[in-house]
Amino acid sequence: MLPTPTEEADCVRRFPGGTRYDEALECKMPTILDGAAIAAAIKQEVAEEVRALAGQGIRPGLAAVLVGNVAASQMYVRSKVQTCAELGISSDLITPPETVTTEEMFDLVAALNARDDIDGILIQLPLPKQVDTKALLDAVSPSKDVDGFHPVNAGRLQAGRPALAPCTPAGIIEILKRSGIPIAGQHAVVVGRSDIVGKPVAMLLLHQNATVTICHSKTRNLGEVTRQADILVAAIGRAGFITPEMVTPGATLIDVGINRITDPTEFARFFAGDAKREATFAKRGSTIVGDIDPKAYELAGAYTPVPGGVGPLTIAMLMANTVRAAKMRRGL
Ligand SMILES: NC(=O)c1ccc[n+]([C@@H]2O[C@H](COP(=O)([O-])OP(=O)(O)OC[C@H]3O[C@@H](n4cnc5c(N)ncnc54)[C@H](OP(=O)(O)O)[C@@H]3O)[C@@H](O)[C@H]2O)c1
């Protein structure tokens, strides 16, 4: 179907020179995948499940372990604890001092593993240098590993067995499914291979029958690979790293990155002309940008904005995992 004159004019604005227009499968404004709305729907479902469990005398419980005084960690944990309260999940905030030792943390985790009122154990990262983070995460009982970081859960996920999956990757699948974006048979390209995002999201996409390519810092001709993506997941940790040239028009862009920028030149590179952002930047002296250059969003069929895309799903899925852990532990 030919585009209307308005769509065509819009295309010329989005794809100057018209070259991109010829490549575009459809010339429509991209759909913004509203992570906040999807997270709200998931939290409502979780609250309903919590109410149903209350009828059986079960109240799911989350232990949140926050070490030291890292401001960002405090903010994340505060909002996790607050969300527990909103959904009827009990929470226990434990705050060991910055000087805590690995042995003391092992003792704490062992005590939480043994507590029947605790279904999920969340250890907010990063931990101070003196604590052996990997060994500690391995000490969390896999049945209470609501972050999905334990090797047993990673193995179960890979083997396609019931597992507590990492929250951000599980949230990405929810965004795609609930937005009606087909996954089966699509080429999903994941940039980033971390244990907490890249690898598990690739595995979850594979289980949904996508054809998956994983890219990393040693990938040659990255743009050639990313341009093949029907679904492009960027989990890199570098502001605006995926440029418009690396994206095929119409692709679904999932931007996992959370990068704070303070340099006015860098800000202008991404957001010049965006009055709302300019006002925020002028007021706060910083803003958040994803791993995908916002100019690339314009080419997308659909994309997750930053903020407000993938981010809100992480807490929602943590809540969902806590309820799931409560049920699994009781054989429900
Ligand atoms: N929205 C959320 O709730 C949420 C949750 C978690 C993380 N995040 C954000 O997501 C981003 C990624 O997090 P992460 O924990 O996965 O980061 P990470 O552990 O630092 O991993 C980054 C990955 O990006 C790859 N990479 C780095 N430079 C590259 C390049 N030039 N070309 C191709 N690949 C490159 C790395 O490759 P190598 O393996 O070869 O080094 C690595 O696999 C960060 O911005 C983080 O803040 C957001």
Side-chain angles (χ1 to χ4, degrees):
M1 202 171 66
L2 284 173
T4 64
T6 316
E7 284 171 338
E8 190 152 4
D10 184 49
C11 249
V12 171
R13 183 184 65 74
R14 288 165 62 205
F15 312 130
T19 50
R20 290 281 180 153
Y21 173 70
D22 296 335
E23 293 170 60
L25 296 173
E26 267 188 287
C27 190
K28 295 218 172 98
M29 288 301 278
T31 303
I32 299 173
L33 303 172
D34 183 349
I38 294 169
I42 291 171
K43 285 192 272 188
Q44 199 177 332
E45 290 162 18
V46 171
E48 276 159 27
E49 270 197 274
V50 171
R51 276 196 289 278
L53 286 171
Q56 301 174 57
I58 299 165
R59 186 168 189 212
L62 177 73
V65 181
L66 170 67
V67 179
N69 305 307
V70 178
S73 296
Q74 286 173 330
M75 193 186 74
Y76 290 139
V77 171
R78 209 179 306 129
S79 68
K80 287 168 187 174
V81 167
Q82 192 186 324
T83 310
C84 281
E86 284 163 17
L87 306 189
I89 295 172
S90 76
S91 64
D92 189 354
L93 174 62
I94 301 154
T95 55
E98 183 76 33
T99 52
V100 72
T101 64
T102 300
E103 286 63 36
E104 286 165 339
M105 288 294 282
F106 272 136
D107 290 345
L108 172 61
V109 166
L112 294 173
N113 282 342
R115 271 174 61 178
D116 197 44
D117 63 328
I118 294 298
D119 297 293
I121 301 171
L122 161 95
I123 300 176
Q124 187 65 40
L125 303 179
L127 292 171
K129 316 192 265 312
Q130 77 277 8
V131 177
D132 184 343
T133 301
K134 273 204 169 159
L136 192 71
L137 294 179
D138 288 0
V140 173
S141 166
S143 65
K144 297 190 177 188
D145 168 40
V146 281
D147 266 330
F149 292 163
H150 196 286
V152 166
N153 279 319
R156 282 190 188 144
L157 180 65
Q158 180 165 339
R161 308 271 173 82
L164 292 166
C167 301
T168 305
I172 291 169
I173 301 297
E174 290 297 326
I175 291 177
L176 293 170
K177 282 188 170 174
R178 288 172 189 247
S179 306
I181 291 170
I183 306 177
Q186 301 295 297
H187 188 182
V189 175
V190 179
V191 188
R193 55 172 164 180
S194 70
D195 290 334
I196 62 168
V197 187
K199 280 184 209 160
V201 79
M203 199 49 64
L204 289 169
L205 287 162
L206 184 64
H207 290 322
Q208 295 295 322
N209 296 316
T211 301
V212 183
T213 303
I214 305 177
C215 303
H216 46 77
S217 65
K218 307 293 184 293
T219 299
R220 269 186 285 131
N221 304 325
L222 183 63
E224 265 175 39
V225 185
T226 57
R227 272 194 296 277
Q228 293 171 31
D230 301 306
I231 299 170
L232 178 60
V233 181
I236 309 160
R238 294 180 62 173
F241 182 80
I242 302 289
T243 59
E245 294 67 36
M246 297 167 80
V247 169
T248 284
T252 298
L253 305 181
I254 303 292
D255 194 347
V256 187
I258 304 176
N259 309 288
R260 184 170 296 280
I261 54 170
T262 52
D263 174 18
T265 313
E266 197 176 25
F267 174 84
R269 181 158 73 88
F270 297 126
F271 297 115
D274 180 337
K276 205 170 151 203
R277 286 272 192 168
E278 282 170 352
T280 317
F281 191 73
K283 196 167 139 203
R284 295 197 193 140
S286 72
T287 193
I288 301 289
V289 64
D291 288 343
I292 300 178
D293 184 330
K295 291 190 282 302
Y297 295 160
E298 298 244 322
L299 300 172
Y303 70 92
T304 57
V306 176
V310 174
L313 268 296
T314 302
I315 292 188
M317 297 315 291
L318 176 72
M319 300 297 123
N321 268 356
T322 303
V323 171
R324 186 145 183 251
K327 290 167 78 173
M328 281 166 74
R329 207 159 60 81
R330 292 168 177 85
L332 297 173

